[in-house]
Amino acid sequence: MAKQDILGEIKEVAESMSLSENQVLEALKEGLIAGCKRTHQVNTCRVDFDEVKNKLKVFRQYLVIDEIEIGGEKTYSVLLLDEALKLSNKAKVGEILEIEVKPEDFSHFGMRDMKQRYKDVLLSHTKSNLYEFFKDKEGQMIKARIIEETPLMYKVDLGKEMTILPKTEVLEKDHLHPNAFVYVYVSKVESKSKGPKIFVTRKDKNLVEKLMELFIPEIKDKTVEIVGISRAPGERSKVGVRSNDPSVDPIGSCIGEGGTRIREIVQALSGEKIDLFRWSDNERELIENALQPSDVIAVTKINPKDKTALAIVPNDQLSLAIGKAGQNVKLAVLATGWSIDIKSEAMANEEGILY
């Protein structure tokens, strides 16, 4: 063992398995300890690695005692002083005696245990590293490649690991096929015995935000900020934005020249519409803007404590303000955090509502 290029082997294994050299060294030590314990039938062994000399030394360990006690020492294997002195003239009662052993002399079962423990520790580190890598990706977006399709799901490659994209988590207009790339949002990562379990989706509203960060530099650098966002996955998202720089138009930045930026986001979402509105700290302006594309004549009955308000819209735009199945107002409510009631001009006049 000492004649081998231990450092070179450690580095080679580390690079091939995407592990740290310390992790590989730990696996090697654990393997040698397992082989030593099995071969020499002892409770403990120690491995010493001299990095300067590039040498590994393995020692079996004994606690030196002067008499056998029933139910005594359990951590270490024990040796009576007389037997210990036959192995080392420096043996003393109460001290740990270490005897160097050669791994190449391990028994058949010792070699088997050494190799198995080495592989187990390497695998454990691989799983742990994968978990930590993807745990850092939790709440982030990844560009995944479709590997395989079944009636219920897609198998996707995330670069370092495979996972499942259930068909319940894709958009209605998604047309995915093997080798296609698709943006997914990592909603949760769990540590399992077989490795990390990575949950991905195309339906989370945060996917829209991450796509905007990707395609709109002003959002990535925080010049333009997404303050409120709501989504009916696959149909429409409503996004409230404001600029932290008076010279930068938040809506124009998101749309891009000739609509190029917003078009890329819509394309990445298989045609899902994106409603952008200007965020305002003024309640009336905020609600008016959030109800676009409908015009708003007035916002009244504003209750800042309960965050409720009434919006009056033109008679011919009531259905537009409410939206199909109430979608427009629902998204406005979710994006702003305000509960918004809507009435047409005629309805308000009939009820005697002043505005």
Side-chain angles (χ1 to χ4, degrees), residues 36 47 52 58 76-77 92 159 211 260 268 280 295 318-319 328:
C36 174
V47 177
V52 176
V58 185
Y76 294 97
S77 296
K92 294 181 180 178
L211 283 167
T260 53
S280 174
D295 293 329
L318 180 61
S319 60
N328 190 59

Side-chain angles (χ1 to χ4, degrees), residues 136-155:
D136 285 343
K137 300 292 182 184
E138 198 173 70
Q140 300 296 321
M141 180 179 73
I142 293 180
K143 192 174 185 179
R145 184 167 67 91
I146 306 295
I147 300 298
E148 181 185 347
E149 179 181 2
T150 73
L152 298 177
M153 57 81 177
Y154 296 95
K155 185 176 181 181

Side-chain angles (χ1 to χ4, degrees), residues 39-80:
T39 299
H40 298 282
Q41 296 297 298
V42 291
N43 293 341
T44 60
C45 294
R46 185 176 69 85
V47 177
D48 177 60
F49 177 52
D50 188 329
E51 193 170 335
V52 176
K53 295 182 179 179
N54 196 20
K55 289 184 179 181
L56 271 170
K57 290 185 177 182
V58 185
F59 304 88
R60 52 188 165 119
Q61 296 179 314
Y62 300 92
L63 174 66
V64 181
I65 60 174
D66 53 3
E67 62 180 34
I68 298 293
E69 293 182 12
I70 297 176
E73 175 62 37
K74 291 187 173 119
T75 301
Y76 294 97
S77 296
V78 296
L79 270 184
L80 288 169

Side-chain angles (χ1 to χ4, degrees), residues 138-200:
E138 198 173 70
Q140 300 296 321
M141 180 179 73
I142 293 180
K143 192 174 185 179
R145 184 167 67 91
I146 306 295
I147 300 298
E148 181 185 347
E149 179 181 2
T150 73
L152 298 177
M153 57 81 177
Y154 296 95
K155 185 176 181 181
V156 297
D157 182 359
L158 301 177
K160 286 179 174 284
E161 184 73 332
M162 305 288 184
T163 195
I164 299 305
L165 173 61
K167 288 194 173 179
T168 55
E169 295 301 322
V170 302
L171 307 179
E172 188 176 345
K173 294 181 181 178
D174 279 340
H175 298 291
L176 307 179
H177 54 83
N179 292 320
F181 285 90
V182 63
Y183 289 104
V184 296
Y185 181 78
V186 182
S187 57
K188 185 169 63 172
V189 179
E190 294 180 350
S191 179
K192 299 292 183 180
S193 58
K194 292 184 178 180
K197 186 173 183 180
I198 306 156
F199 297 85
V200 296

Side-chain angles (χ1 to χ4, degrees), residues 114-303:
M114 178 186 73
K115 292 175 182 178
Q116 188 59 53
R117 181 60 180 160
Y118 174 64
K119 290 178 181 178
D120 287 346
V121 176
L122 286 180
L123 181 59
S124 175
H125 283 314
T126 299
K127 291 176 181 177
S128 177
N129 287 2
L130 273 175
Y131 171 74
E132 293 299 330
F133 176 83
F134 283 105
K135 192 66 178 177
D136 285 343
K137 300 292 182 184
E138 198 173 70
Q140 300 296 321
M141 180 179 73
I142 293 180
K143 192 174 185 179
R145 184 167 67 91
I146 306 295
I147 300 298
E148 181 185 347
E149 179 181 2
T150 73
L152 298 177
M153 57 81 177
Y154 296 95
K155 185 176 181 181
V156 297
D157 182 359
L158 301 177
K160 286 179 174 284
E161 184 73 332
M162 305 288 184
T163 195
I164 299 305
L165 173 61
K167 288 194 173 179
T168 55
E169 295 301 322
V170 302
L171 307 179
E172 188 176 345
K173 294 181 181 178
D174 279 340
H175 298 291
L176 307 179
H177 54 83
N179 292 320
F181 285 90
V182 63
Y183 289 104
V184 296
Y185 181 78
V186 182
S187 57
K188 185 169 63 172
V189 179
E190 294 180 350
S191 179
K192 299 292 183 180
S193 58
K194 292 184 178 180
K197 186 173 183 180
I198 306 156
F199 297 85
V200 296
T201 179
R202 295 262 297 153
K203 290 187 172 180
D204 197 292
K205 69 178 183 179
N206 291 302
L207 179 63
V208 178
E209 183 173 351
K210 296 303 176 183
L211 283 167
M212 292 180 74
E213 288 177 2
L214 176 64
F215 291 109
I216 304 167
E218 290 84 351
I219 287 182
K220 186 174 182 179
D221 67 17
K222 309 298 183 185
T223 301
V224 174
E225 179 183 358
I226 296 174
V227 188
I229 185 168
S230 57
R231 187 183 185 200
E235 298 179 33
R236 183 183 299 271
S237 287
K238 195 175 281 283
V239 185
V241 293
R242 69 179 169 200
S243 176
N244 294 316
D245 183 341
S247 66
V248 176
D249 173 27
I251 303 296
S253 296
C254 292
I255 293 174
E257 187 175 351
T260 53
R261 292 177 176 177
I262 201 69
R263 192 157 51 242
E264 285 182 299
I265 296 168
V266 169
Q267 184 178 351
L269 294 171
S270 298
E272 181 175 319
K273 295 179 180 179
I274 309 292
D275 287 345
L276 299 167
F277 69 93
R278 192 181 301 270
W279 193 270
S280 174
D281 292 329
N282 180 286
E283 296 95 338
R284 286 182 172 82
E285 288 183 0
L286 175 63
I287 292 168
E288 286 178 6
N289 295 344
L291 287 173
Q292 294 172 5
S294 169
D295 293 329
V296 176
I297 295 173
V299 178
T300 187
K301 293 190 176 182
I302 298 173
N303 184 331

